[in-house]
Amino acid sequence: MPEGRPAIPAELRRRVLVEAGHRCAIPTCRRHPVDIEHIEDWATVREHRFENLIALCPTCHRRKGNGPDRIDKKSLRQYKTNLSLLNHRYGDTERRLIEVFGNLLAKGKIPENRTIRMGIGSDLLLWYLIQDRYLETYRFPEGETPPYELFRFTPSGIAFLRRWMAAQPLDLDTELECVMSA
């Protein structure tokens, strides 16, 4: 740590780590362990504020900057904003599903219409993704009652995942207004 620079307080470090799930905040990375990095450089702001701190793995930390194959400040701010939106709207199971399905989709390892099998009652764990019309329940034929439920991301859910993976604004408030008025 540079001389004269105070350590990031433990509680503030904890908040940043919890926000990112103790993993790199870059959705296509999500590695660990991580460093706590200032979005606006310490030399410029000379303070530790939650809004300006993000968890990055050492590789992504080294890639911070401007230029080709670099992670610029605008992207870091968007990653931070998207994490905040996801963490305040969706529960742990929903966030894990977004992360896993988004990564597999981005890598071309699964088709967009892939079904997700979960135990009976999982709709409660996926409540907000279903309410936001990003996830739909597969309906089994009448009289058929399997010991699991099937879910599938809707076209708007796939678009949401692609925006998240590309660090584009999620704009949940705008999207939710459209859902409510539909």
Side-chain angles (χ1 to χ4, degrees):
M1 181 172 320
E3 194 172 316
R5 178 175 166 175
I8 297 171
E11 188 55 36
L12 184 53
R13 285 184 58 79
R14 184 176 298 108
R15 283 181 61 203
V16 174
L17 290 170
V18 167
E19 173 188 55
H22 289 261
R23 294 184 170 277
C24 184
I26 309 301
T28 54
C29 179
R30 303 299 287 154
R31 287 189 174 87
H32 60 84
V34 295
D35 301 323
I36 305 298
E37 173 62 17
H38 291 81
I39 296 170
E40 289 292 331
D41 294 324
W42 165 261
T44 304
V45 297
R46 304 198 60 76
E47 66 179 342
H48 303 304
R49 287 186 14 256
F50 178 76
E51 300 77 23
N52 190 46
L53 297 172
I54 191 165
L56 298 175
C57 72
T59 301
C60 290
H61 190 168
R62 284 190 302 276
R63 290 182 55 214
K64 180 186 169 199
N66 296 316
D69 198 38
R70 307 301 279 173
I71 304 171
D72 64 13
K73 291 176 188 178
K74 183 176 181 181
S75 296
L76 290 173
R77 279 190 212 94
Q78 192 60 59
Y79 290 131
K80 176 90 172 171
T81 299
N82 287 352
L83 274 175
S84 178
L85 290 171
L86 288 174
N87 289 340
H88 287 93
R89 176 72 179 162
Y90 300 113
D92 289 341
T93 303
E94 291 169 310
R95 287 193 309 270
R96 276 192 222 112
L97 187 60
I98 289 167
E99 179 182 334
V100 169
F101 201 91
N103 275 307
L104 291 172
L105 187 65
K107 293 174 182 173
K109 293 189 175 188
I110 57 172
E112 288 185 359
N113 65 349
R114 171 77 180 261
T115 56
I116 301 146
R117 185 170 68 178
M118 296 182 70
I120 299 295
S122 295
D123 54 337
L124 292 175
L125 297 173
L126 304 172
W127 181 256
Y128 288 110
L129 284 174
I130 294 168
Q131 290 298 113
D132 296 347
R133 297 185 183 161
Y134 290 152
L135 202 61
E136 61 189 2
T137 305
Y138 175 81
R139 301 289 175 206
F140 288 96
E142 186 71 31
E144 190 176 330
T145 54
Y148 55 83
E149 291 185 83
L150 292 176
F151 301 91
R152 179 179 16 229
F153 277 94
T154 64
S156 62
I158 296 294
F160 171 81
L161 291 174
R162 291 196 187 286
R163 283 192 306 279
W164 180 69
M165 293 302 294
Q168 295 173 344
L170 297 180
D171 299 329
L172 285 178
D173 292 335
T174 303
E175 292 179 28
L176 293 179
E177 287 172 18
C178 292
V179 166
M180 297 304 194
S181 64

